[in-house]
């Protein structure tokens, strides 16, 4: 059952979310085959499968709630000509820009990039993969998933794909807000376009440095029902359960799905 964790609002993210602490906690160690059920390894394998096996492709992909990370683009950049990254906080967008622009002190994503290249059968081409991601990401914009147009005041042409990883469960205080956020991001997608959603299951908090951030407690059934209610047909879903407790969060599992907009 879910426990009552005080909801972390927008202001707290703007003031207290330290992008580099988040990266060091969750992305500093390279995934390996001994940790196939770890969050990062599962996310990378699932996104690889989602884009490759499901035949997702097109001109534009909008990533909602990118955070300071680029791992979610490593497979997507092979299938979409342009990627639009978005996040609510200035510090996350700035951290991503440091890597995109190859600035001194940018986070080292090379172990993660090599892992995905190995999934694709070309581990030695990881530097080319990094450059491909940098070329693909055309914009880094502010977004707010609780707004009817999450990218307001901007209005972009409808995208072929909307991607969201580990965002909505942190931004939404309850299930109705989660359902509403899915409808909001659906407005950015063309009819027949695809949603790729990676969601944490049965989590109430996660740590960034010494600070706790709340997470909306979701089970897989709730995620599926919310996606359908938002006007999507689920075409593929995969999930795992964690067998051992974690120090940095209390998640019990994670799922990824591909859904088509009506």
């Amino acid at each position: 059952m879910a426990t009552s964790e005080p909801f972390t609002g927008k202001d707290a993210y703007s003031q207290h979310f330290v992008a580099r602490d988040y990266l060091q906690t969750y992305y500093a160690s390279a995934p390996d085959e001994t940790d196939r059920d770890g969050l990062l390894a599962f996310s990378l394998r699932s996104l690889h499968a989602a884009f490759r096996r499901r035949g997702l492709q097109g001109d534009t992909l909008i990533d909602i709630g990118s955070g300071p990370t680029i791992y979610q683009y490593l497979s997507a950049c092979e299938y979409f000509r342009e990627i639009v990254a978005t996040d609510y906080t200035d510090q996350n967008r700035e951290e991503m820009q440091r890597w995109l622009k190859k600035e001194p002190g940018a986070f080292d994503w090379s172990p993660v990039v090599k892992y995905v290249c190995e999934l694709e059968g070309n581990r030695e081409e990881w530097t080319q993969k990094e450059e491909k991601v940098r070329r693909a990401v055309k914009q880094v914009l502010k977004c707010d998933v609780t707004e009817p147009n999450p990218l307001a005041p901007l209005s972009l042409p409808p995208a072929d794909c909307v991607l969201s990883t580990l965002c909505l469960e942190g931004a939404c205080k309850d299930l109705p807000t989660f359902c509403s956020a899915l409808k909001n991001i659906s407005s950015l997608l063309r009819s027949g376009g695809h949603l790729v959603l990676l969601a944490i299951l049965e989590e109430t908090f996660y740590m960034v440095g010494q600070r706790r951030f709340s997470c909306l407690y979701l089970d897989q059934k709730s995620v599926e029902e919310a996606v359908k209610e938002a006007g999507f047909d689920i075409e593929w879903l995969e999930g795992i359960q964690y067998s051992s407790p974690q120090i940095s969060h209390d998640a019990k599992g994670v799922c990824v799905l591909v859904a088509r907009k009506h």
Side-chain angles (χ1 to χ4, degrees), residues 50 54 56 194-196 233-237 256-260:
R54 304 308 305 179
L56 306 185
H194 283 91
L195 167 71
V196 179
D233 294 319
I234 297 174
E235 296 184 340
W236 178 75
L237 185 146
V256 63
L257 62 82
V258 174
R260 182 187 291 271

Side-chain angles (χ1 to χ4, degrees), residues 132-146:
K132 191 163 193 174
V133 171
R134 290 187 172 103
R135 289 194 303 270
V137 179
K138 303 297 187 184
Q139 300 181 79
V140 181
L141 306 176
K142 186 178 179 69
C143 80
D144 183 346
V145 297
T146 64

Side-chain angles (χ1 to χ4, degrees), residues 243-257:
S243 56
S244 58
Q246 306 290 316
I247 297 173
S248 56
H249 60 84
D250 66 346
K252 302 298 190 296
V254 60
C255 71
V256 63
L257 62 82

Side-chain angles (χ1 to χ4, degrees), residues 39-54:
L39 174 59
L40 181 55
F42 174 80
S43 301
L44 296 172
R45 292 198 321 276
S46 297
L47 291 172
H48 169 69
F51 287 103
R52 183 174 185 177
R53 298 176 193 168
R54 304 308 305 179

Side-chain angles (χ1 to χ4, degrees), residues 219-240:
D219 56 31
Q220 186 169 300
K221 183 179 180 182
S222 298
V223 174
E224 292 180 51
E225 289 177 349
V227 169
K228 292 174 183 175
E229 184 183 321
F232 292 95
D233 294 319
I234 297 174
E235 296 184 340
W236 178 75
L237 185 146
E238 183 178 343
I240 57 167

